[in-house]
Amino acid sequence: ETGIAGKLTDEWKVFGGATYMESRVLETMRTEEKGSELANVPRWTLSIWSTYELGHGFDVGGGAYYSSGRYVSTTSEAQLPNYYRFDATAGYALTEEIDLRINVLNLTDEFYYDSAHSSQHALVAPGRTLLLTTNFEF
């Protein structure tokens, strides 16, 4: 796993990360599982997120997330497909203690699966989602 975090300028921040995992079942009572990869564990995940302060209390940002395919169970060769997701945000600081934020998750309304359960069914991830939040600092 590796990550980055920093400022390109005083107004422009960037965060990101990459993870590579090789999972294996080491001990189990079910012999057919031994040595198998764990279900719902992607080999690769990548993310990048950036925000920019526009001034006068406004900021905008966006990011991308990638997940490689992952097995639906420890005893199946079936995999959920890889996917990309893109998100965006915009915020406004009303005061030093109160800010408003809008986030749009899955901007492209990509169809992908969050997870699978025991090779029986897979859960579809939410489509495009709009979140409005208010943050209070005290």
Side-chain angles (χ1 to χ4, degrees):
E1 179 178 15
T2 187
I4 60 166
K7 288 184 168 185
L8 299 177
T9 69
D10 285 340
E11 298 82 16
W12 190 7
K13 299 174 189 167
V14 178
F15 310 90
T19 302
Y20 177 81
M21 291 188 285
E22 286 187 20
S23 65
R24 293 276 180 254
V25 175
L26 300 177
E27 291 186 30
T28 179
M29 295 178 72
R30 297 176 61 191
T31 57
E32 69 274 12
E33 287 183 335
K34 192 158 185 159
S36 299
E37 290 193 40
L38 296 172
N40 294 309
V41 178
R43 204 156 273 196
W44 281 101
T45 57
L46 307 167
S47 67
I48 187 81
W49 185 259
S50 181
T51 59
Y52 191 84
E53 294 177 22
L54 299 170
H56 305 289
F58 290 96
D59 68 79
V60 294
Y65 179 82
Y66 168 78
S67 175
S68 64
R70 56 239 187 259
Y71 289 100
V72 299
S73 78
T74 55
T75 58
S76 173
E77 290 297 313
Q79 289 191 38
L80 297 176
N82 66 325
Y83 68 90
Y84 296 88
R85 190 187 78 221
F86 301 96
D87 303 329
T89 188
Y92 176 67
L94 288 171
T95 68
E96 285 190 26
E97 295 84 21
I98 302 170
D99 67 68
L100 305 172
R101 180 151 308 278
I102 184 169
N103 289 295
V104 182
L105 308 178
N106 194 4
L107 276 169
T108 59
D109 203 22
E110 183 72 22
F111 180 91
Y112 66 95
Y113 297 98
D114 262 344
S115 60
H117 297 279
S118 303
S119 295
Q120 301 298 315
H121 66 279
L123 298 178
V124 175
R128 186 178 301 117
T129 304
L130 178 71
L131 301 172
L132 300 170
T133 59
T134 303
N135 296 306
F136 300 93
E137 210 174 290
F138 53 93

